Amino acid sequence: MSGSPLPDQLFQPMVDPFGRTIRYLRVSVTDRCDLRCFYCMSEDMTFLPKADLLTLEELDRLCSAFIAKGVRKIRLTGGEPLVRRNVMSLVRSLSRHLSSGALDELTLSTNASQLARFAGELRDCGVRRVNVSLDTLDAHKFRAITRWGDLDKVLAGIEAARDAGLAVKINAVALKNMNEEEIPALMEWAHGKGMALTLIEVMPMGDIGEGRIDQYVPLSLLRARLAKHYTLTDLDDDTGGPARYVRVAETGGKLGFITPMTHNFCESCNRVRITCTGTLHTCLGHEDASDLRKPLRASADNDLLSAAIDRAIGLKPKGHDFIIDRRHNRPSVSRHMSVTGG
């Protein structure tokens, strides 16, 4: 694939109006997914026409343009990224930036349903770790949450990744009256396999056909419950990301908390997101949108694209303002998480 940065374009950092340097890009390669998690999607989703999606070559060029402007980490997301046809050609192509040293890390967020097929190839392409979304170890609950998912297939994907030498981090959305009592067991299972666990509050994104208030449980409550039985020590890990980490003395593992509802973590935000149609979102919790597909396709060089990126970064808001309560029991953002990329 084409789109390598030109030498004189390299390492020109993008700084937003609040002094935050943008070094992390999340790229949704598809809005489609082979699961229908009830907190993420409605059961009968209407997906984007395939003709609206950027080609894999265009996604490569777009990523390369961001690398030329100082991005050091890229995460491929979805939907489920591994359901995109021939997605590994994009991973292989982007790996050249790892070899050159222009990119520090290329990672993937996945539900692991397809991971057994691709784990070895991901490792060969320079991917060293993946994030796996897994909310329960109970097969019946898993099917209820995902509407038709097969837990055994996901667990096999996780083991395939570990066998291939990939580090795995488990992400679990805390769901009221669904998996909140299972969090200790999920944590002990993950830590027992050398995997970190990060808990995430449900976010009011997209119309899913039901209210969020009946799903939402604050992580401050879950942390207090855990602290009654485990010794939690705050860590100073500063990834520029939203997670706050603790070390669990009894397991030796790391536990993260992502709290978009109970704590605004925007002061250190160093990331932006691109959808599979080439729309740039500088904040997960805002309706902001900048079209990069038009300048991408308007010229063979990246001058128009680079200028469009600069304009968008200049409009990045200070932070989001998610709200879930009985008065605001509706999406704060109309687009689904599967469109934006996790």
Side-chain angles (χ1 to χ4, degrees), residues 138-182:
D138 182 300
H140 297 292
K141 285 185 182 179
F142 184 81
R143 184 168 289 274
I145 291 171
T146 62
R147 292 192 172 100
W148 55 63
D150 182 346
L151 178 62
D152 288 340
K153 193 174 182 181
V154 168
L155 295 178
I158 291 171
E159 289 307 310
R162 295 176 68 232
D163 290 344
L166 297 175
V168 178
K169 180 167 76 71
I170 303 297
N171 289 340
V173 175
L175 299 166
K176 187 176 183 180
N177 298 324
M178 175 61 79
N179 69 349
E180 55 182 315
E181 299 300 329
E182 191 185 343

Side-chain angles (χ1 to χ4, degrees), residues 188 229-232 247-253:
E188 292 189 2
H229 304 283
Y230 301 92
T231 307
L232 310 180
R247 179 74 64 189
V248 182
E250 289 76 7
T251 65

Side-chain angles (χ1 to χ4, degrees), residues 17-140:
F18 304 95
R20 298 168 298 195
T21 300
I22 308 304
R23 300 192 180 279
Y24 184 6
L25 177 66
R26 292 195 173 195
V27 183
S28 174
V29 300
T30 179
D31 66 326
R32 296 170 186 266
C33 187
D34 49 354
L35 302 179
R36 294 290 183 276
C37 296
F38 66 70
Y39 56 80
C40 181
M41 295 182 173
S42 61
E43 187 167 4
D44 298 316
M45 286 289 294
T46 300
F47 293 109
L48 295 166
K50 291 184 179 180
D52 288 355
L53 273 60
L54 295 182
T55 67
L56 295 176
E57 290 78 12
E58 287 173 327
L59 285 169
D60 178 270
R61 182 180 162 201
L62 200 51
C63 290
S64 298
F66 273 89
I67 293 169
K69 297 177 76 65
V71 159
R72 303 293 301 177
K73 176 180 175 181
I74 290 179
R75 178 178 297 279
L76 301 181
T77 70
E80 168 50 48
L82 295 179
V83 302
R84 171 106 191 223
R85 186 176 181 182
N86 204 29
V87 69
M88 288 308 303
S89 66
L90 174 62
V91 179
R92 283 193 298 274
S93 184
L94 289 175
S95 69
R96 73 190 185 278
H97 297 299
L98 295 171
S99 300
S100 72
L103 192 64
D104 293 331
E105 187 175 46
L106 179 61
T107 64
L108 187 82
S109 288
T110 176
N111 62 29
S113 64
Q114 309 295 320
L115 196 50
R117 295 170 53 201
F118 296 109
E121 191 173 359
L122 286 168
R123 172 72 186 187
D124 291 343
C125 290
V127 175
R128 293 295 175 259
R129 65 187 184 96
V130 295
N131 284 7
V132 173
S133 299
L134 178 62
D135 305 316
T136 179
L137 295 174
D138 182 300
H140 297 292

Side-chain angles (χ1 to χ4, degrees), residues 5-16 20-24 63-72 102 302-303 305-307 309-311 313:
L6 298 175
D8 61 352
Q9 294 176 311
L10 286 174
F11 311 123
Q12 301 174 14
M14 297 174 287
V15 180
D16 75 8
R20 298 168 298 195
T21 300
I22 308 304
R23 300 192 180 279
Y24 184 6
C63 290
S64 298
F66 273 89
I67 293 169
K69 297 177 76 65
V71 159
R72 303 293 301 177
N302 284 348
D303 290 347
L305 177 60
S306 182
I309 293 171
D310 288 341
R311 285 194 297 271
I313 299 301

Side-chain angles (χ1 to χ4, degrees), residues 132 144 148 163 168 172 183 198 201 212 235 237 264 276 314:
V132 173
W148 55 63
D163 290 344
V168 178
I183 297 303
T198 295
E201 289 176 337
R212 303 285 183 173
L235 298 175
D237 294 24
N264 185 306
C276 53

